[in-house]
Amino acid sequence: MADLAERRRRWEGLGPGTRRGYATTTAPGAAVDGRVAQDDDEAAWFARFAWVEIVVDRVDRLDLSADPHDRMVAERGAGGWRARRVAP
């Protein structure tokens, strides 16, 4: 998110344990032998933090475990969400 103020607001809403999750200096997915490297610089933690907001306007759910299969589509419109069952 490019909005630094919003990113900061979200960061400040995190608890200390969650913030500490950003102390890792080892790249995600990197192989490690033993402990993962961390630092104590909270400014660096914030630099590693990103806030991504996803707005969902349509959900298409298909349940293949049901017999017969079951499918539902929900869409967000001006009046709110509308859901309907459809053929799988």
Side-chain angles (χ1 to χ4, degrees):
M1 173 174 267
D3 184 345
L4 181 60
E6 180 66 11
R7 190 169 145 240
R8 173 63 66 185
R9 186 178 79 76
R10 299 296 184 159
W11 174 256
E12 290 173 358
L14 299 176
T18 302
R19 285 186 188 188
R20 184 88 190 149
Y22 292 88
T24 302
T25 59
T26 305
V32 294
D33 282 333
R35 295 184 55 134
V36 175
Q38 294 189 331
D39 62 27
D40 289 322
D41 179 6
E42 193 162 339
W45 302 356
F46 178 70
R48 295 181 195 112
F49 172 73
W51 180 259
V52 177
E53 183 172 12
I54 298 171
V55 178
V56 176
D57 293 318
R58 185 172 191 275
V59 175
D60 188 330
R61 181 199 50 86
L62 175 60
D63 182 356
L64 297 175
S65 69
D67 187 17
H69 296 162
D70 184 52
R71 184 175 174 197
M72 183 272 308
V73 174
E75 296 175 292
R76 183 195 331 244
W81 283 92
R82 179 176 172 263
R84 65 191 188 286
R85 290 185 71 195
V86 296

